[in-house]
Amino acid sequence: MSFLAISTKKWARKCGTAIHAALSLLVFFSLDLMDAILCVVYELLDEILEGNSQSCYCNASHPHTTGENEVSETLFRRRNVFREMGFLEFARKFKLSRRTGKSKKPANKWSDCGCLTCNSWMKKEDGNLHVVVKDSTPQEDSVQEPLENVIFIHGFMGSSYFWTETVFEHVREERFRLFAVDLLGFGESPKPRDSLYTLRDHVDMIERSVVKPYQLGSFHVVAHSMGCLIALALAAKHSTIVKSVTLVAPPYFPSSLEGSVLTRIAGKRLWPPLAFGTAVMSWYEHVGRCVCFIVCKHHKIWEWLIKLCTGRFLGR
């Protein structure tokens, strides 16, 4: 009986795995088709609404870059069966032939949020990152140089609030000067459309916005998740003045594993739901743009609904 039970469980597990693989193939095959169609649709809408269509990553050639300037493969190496077959290529050629002249590219796409909060960075003339500074040095000793400077770097989908609403509130010791930055493209920092957001871009912006203007002779670095990669690059560039590096949940991928990093961290599978969402946003540029249009552009509506559901209106 025990042998029969074990065999039944193995058979059920294999069937479940096969069904999941078949459903995943069908769903992502459909998403390939949807993304190929949306590629043409968005290019047409960009031309109509902005007068100029910027080439998307799926059609742009991969730049030959290495080291800190290396561009993530999540931009240029996302395979799509319909795109490789030249699906709807005739529509793109017809549309490109109708272009006449050039117009100035707006700072934001029509599908981006246009609220004051999301576009506050445009008012900054220096183009530096948004930096929150907390100096716990006593007022009477403010002329003296603080003993310890600490730069905090958030992770993907984060901002300086990740640190200011947690760590900053609990630092009571004197002689500390804390800097929490919004990385390039996040929070209230600049979001240039022509930037590839390489590792060097992030490091240079931190150097330009924090290290140089505040004349840091030495500093510590604390980073979370994706920010850990930037922290290591920053520490390597300023190895003589970085006193320590603290990494919280750093991404780690053994070099011995085969396959691309994209395949390892965002494999195309339906289950669990978080993995499916990661795969969709990582592999499909234009489907992801639809999600951002629905969620990000209308974030005030979602914020209002969340407050309404959680009853936060009652206390304010």
Side-chain angles (χ1 to χ4, degrees):
M1 291 295 294
S2 60
F3 175 76
L4 180 61
I6 294 175
S7 299
T8 302
K9 288 182 180 179
K10 289 184 177 180
W11 180 83
R13 188 180 296 111
K14 289 182 179 180
C15 287
T17 302
I19 293 174
H20 177 261
L23 290 176
S24 297
L25 180 63
L26 178 62
V27 170
F28 284 101
F29 183 82
S30 301
L31 287 172
D32 278 1
L33 175 60
M34 183 185 301
D35 200 67
I37 295 175
L38 287 174
C39 178
V40 178
V41 172
Y42 272 124
E43 195 168 356
L44 178 62
L45 289 175
D46 288 345
E47 285 188 2
I48 295 174
L49 299 176
E50 297 180 1
N52 187 13
S53 176
Q54 185 178 11
S55 178
C56 53
Y57 294 115
C58 60
N59 291 311
S61 57
H62 190 283
H64 298 286
T65 55
T66 57
E68 292 181 347
N69 283 325
E70 185 175 2
V71 178
S72 171
E73 62 183 3
T74 58
L75 290 178
F76 295 97
R77 297 177 184 173
R78 294 176 284 190
R79 299 188 62 183
N80 184 303
V81 60
F82 292 97
R83 191 175 298 120
E84 293 176 359
M85 290 169 53
F87 182 70
L88 293 180
E89 192 64 28
F90 70 92
R92 179 175 288 105
K93 290 181 179 180
F94 172 73
K95 182 163 51 64
L96 292 175
S97 64
R98 296 175 57 191
R99 291 183 182 177
T100 55
K102 295 183 179 180
S103 58
K104 184 179 179 181
K105 181 171 61 178
N108 267 9
K109 286 182 174 291
W110 60 269
S111 54
D112 294 337
C113 180
C115 73
L116 295 177
T117 303
C118 294
N119 294 281
S120 59
W121 62 273
M122 296 183 184
K123 298 180 181 179
K124 299 182 64 174
E125 297 181 358
D126 56 8
N128 288 340
L129 301 178
H130 174 71
V131 183
V132 179
V133 183
K134 179 180 180 180
D135 193 344
S136 58
T137 305
Q139 187 65 29
E140 57 272 15
D141 295 338
S142 60
V143 178
Q144 301 179 12
E145 180 71 18
L147 293 180
E148 303 292 345
N149 298 298
V150 187
I151 299 177
F152 291 86
I153 305 175
H154 64 81
F156 185 62
M157 299 295 288
S159 71
S160 55
Y161 285 106
F162 182 84
W163 303 108
T164 58
E165 299 300 314
T166 53
V167 178
F168 279 33
E169 294 184 354
H170 298 283
V171 175
R172 302 291 184 226
E173 298 181 11
E174 300 177 357
R175 299 297 188 184
F176 274 93
R177 188 164 58 163
L178 312 180
F179 302 88
V181 301
D182 284 342
L183 291 173
L184 189 68
F186 294 84
E188 298 181 35
S189 288
K191 304 170 182 62
R193 289 177 57 177
D194 56 350
S195 175
L196 291 176
Y197 298 90
T198 62
L199 189 59
R200 173 168 291 182
D201 290 336
H202 287 295
V203 172
D204 289 347
M205 285 299 290
I206 294 176
E207 182 182 45
R208 167 183 164 183
S209 306
V210 182
V211 180
K212 289 183 177 179
Y214 291 95
Q215 300 178 353
L216 303 188
S218 64
F219 58 90
H220 303 266
V221 183
V222 180
H224 171 250
S225 188
M226 181 196 76
C228 296
L229 303 177
I230 301 173
L232 291 175
L234 180 66
K237 186 174 183 178
H238 298 279
S239 58
T240 58
I241 60 175
V242 172
K243 302 179 72 173
S244 71
V245 178
T246 303
L247 306 180
V248 182
Y252 169 71
F253 302 99
S255 58
S256 59
L257 294 180
E258 297 182 357
S260 66
V261 173
L262 179 60
T263 303
R264 280 181 265 164
I265 66 176
K268 293 183 177 181
R269 51 180 179 166
L270 295 178
W271 193 263
L274 181 60
F276 174 68
T278 302
V280 171
M281 296 302 292
S282 300
W283 285 94
Y284 301 103
E285 176 182 350
H286 306 288
V287 173
R289 186 176 175 184
C290 287
V291 174
C292 292
F293 176 74
I294 295 172
V295 177
C296 302
K297 183 177 178 64
H298 304 93
H299 67 89
K300 288 187 176 295
I301 297 177
W302 297 109
E303 291 171 3
W304 180 83
L305 289 174
I306 292 174
K307 289 180 179 180
L308 183 64
C309 294
T310 57
R312 293 185 61 182
F313 279 142
L314 299 178
R316 295 186 179 181

